[in-house]
Amino acid sequence: LNLGKIIVIPGMGCSPVATSNWYSWFKNEMDSRSSSTQCILRDFPDPNICRESIWVPFIKDEIGLDEDTIIVGHSSGAACAMRLLESSDVPKIRGAVLVATAHTDLGSASERRSEYFNRPWNWDLMKDGARKIVC
């Protein structure tokens, strides 16, 4: 089974990523399913605020996205995934898995600082950003 490239986008404050939440377990599970699957689990810059202006370019420029990419976003990482799905300069990806996501900042000042919630969501663009989206 070739799942292509899977990128785990962690939640706020999840650093080091390898010892946070379920991320290493998930990477090991995905890597064990096929030698042709590449699950990317990396520490992200700005892990405690996870600003869109830092994370989106990091994913696009440092990690890279293509038509065979699946993104798995958790919490604030899911909000980042949603903004990636809206981006016109990102290719339509294979899939997105959104884990424990929110569409508002939930009244949290730290979530507000992340920049994901400072404008309305474009649900139509988001739906067109991936062949399949699972929440």
Side-chain angles (χ1 to χ4, degrees), residues 106-126:
L106 304 171
S108 166
S110 59
E111 290 293 345
R112 224 172 351 272
R113 284 191 302 271
S114 72
E115 304 167 349
Y116 300 110
F117 307 103
N118 63 7
R119 64 196 181 281
W121 297 97
N122 188 323
W123 303 110
D124 291 328
L125 276 178
M126 199 182 303

Side-chain angles (χ1 to χ4, degrees), residues 84-95:
L84 280 167
L85 291 171
E86 290 180 334
S87 297
S88 60
D89 63 340
V90 171
K92 183 172 189 162
I93 61 173
R94 184 172 183 177

